[in-house]
């Protein structure tokens, strides 16, 4: 039981490049979400999903796309990376009805130059 | 969700109890108090939650005032591994949408 996994752990992109951050969970949790965390700031919600085929925007969705084709996977896509997207990205999951108990992945540290 | 106010940082000596306060004066009747923590470079970790009664688990205790306008997270015997940012969140229990994290309290455990 791996819990919540994220790949890659580290990534450097040039401005304008695209990439996908991967998040996978094997806990059969319906709810998944993406956060970003910048130095000295708390976590800010980017996008979330309450189940396969359903996604919605969080606080800071601009510049990011998501999709949820399976329960297990919730990839985050950067279509055209910008230096302002340099951050640490965390994926989180929880069972529906237990949103107080989210499980977070180890994070992806992204640098955009 | 109700707004929360936490001190920016706190120190605590190793082995002593760490008491982390949180003000939530606009809390409404169906909102719970949750606590998470984030150890450096790791994802946040759920600690405890409560409505109005005091709660205790293997990690911590949560004391909520009778008027529910404030609460305190207590780590009974703090260790160096408890050095982290602690987030107090107020929201309805079974609302399955976004959780908004504030800036939290940076707790330093001193040897």
């Amino acid at each position: 039981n791996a819990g919540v996994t994220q790949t890659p752990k580290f990534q450097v992109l040039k401005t304008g490049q695209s990439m996908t951050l991967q998040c996978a969970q094997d806990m059969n949790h319906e709810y998944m979400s993406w956060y970003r965390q910048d130095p000295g700031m708390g976590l800010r919600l980017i996008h979330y999903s309450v189940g396969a085929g359903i996604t919605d925007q969080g606080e800071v969705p601009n510049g990011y796309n998501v999709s949820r084709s399976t329960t297990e996977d919730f990839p985050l896509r950067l279509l055209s990376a910008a230096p302002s997207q340099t951050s640490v990205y965390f994926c989180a999951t929880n069972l529906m009805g237990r949103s107080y108990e989210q499980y977070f992945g180890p994070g992806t540290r992204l640098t955009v130059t | 969700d109700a707004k929360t106010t936490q001190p920016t940082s706190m120190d605590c000596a190793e082995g002593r109890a760490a008491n982390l306060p949180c003000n939530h004066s606009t809390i409404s009747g169906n909102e719970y108090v949750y606590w998470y923590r984030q150890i450096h470079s790791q994802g946040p970790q759920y600690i405890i939650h409560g409505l109005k009664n005091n709660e205790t688990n293997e990690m911590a205790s949560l004391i909520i005032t009778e008027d529910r306008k404030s609460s305190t997270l207590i780590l009974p015997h703090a260790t160096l591994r408890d050095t982290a940012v602690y987030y107090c969140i107020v929201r309805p229990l079974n609302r399955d949408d976004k959780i908004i994290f504030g800036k939290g309290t940076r707790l330093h455990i001193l040897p």
Side-chain angles (χ1 to χ4, degrees), chain A residues 1-74:
Chain A
N1 189 334
V4 183
T5 59
Q6 291 184 237
T7 56
K9 283 188 166 49
F10 301 94
Q11 182 71 49
V12 178
L13 290 178
K14 290 185 175 9
T15 297
Q17 286 186 314
S18 63
M19 79 158 294
T20 299
L21 308 186
Q22 301 291 346
C23 174
Q25 52 103 357
D26 61 0
M27 297 180 286
N28 204 30
H29 287 177
E30 300 92 340
Y31 186 87
M32 297 185 75
S33 55
W34 277 102
Y35 292 86
R36 62 175 288 175
Q37 187 169 38
D38 303 306
M41 298 189 68
L43 292 129
R44 292 184 292 170
L45 183 69
I46 304 171
H47 286 285
Y48 64 99
S49 168
V50 299
I54 305 169
T55 64
D56 207 345
Q57 296 182 347
E59 301 170 85
V60 288
N62 292 340
Y64 307 95
N65 281 351
V66 291
S67 60
R68 183 97 179 269
S69 56
T70 67
T71 298
E72 294 77 19
D73 300 296
F74 190 42

Side-chain angles (χ1 to χ4, degrees), chain B residues 53-98:
Chain B
N53 297 321
N54 298 339
E55 302 287 344
T56 295
N57 64 19
E58 65 278 2
M59 288 182 69
S61 295
L62 174 60
I63 308 297
I64 303 173
T65 58
E66 194 168 339
D67 63 8
R68 303 209 321 124
K69 293 185 176 182
S70 65
S71 60
T72 301
L73 179 75
I74 301 173
L75 309 178
H77 303 288
T79 71
L80 296 177
R81 285 176 297 201
D82 292 321
T83 293
V85 177
Y86 288 77
Y87 297 97
C88 171
I89 300 159
V90 170
R91 67 194 299 273
L93 181 63
N94 290 325
R95 192 170 117 188
D96 284 301
D97 59 5
K98 56 196 182 200

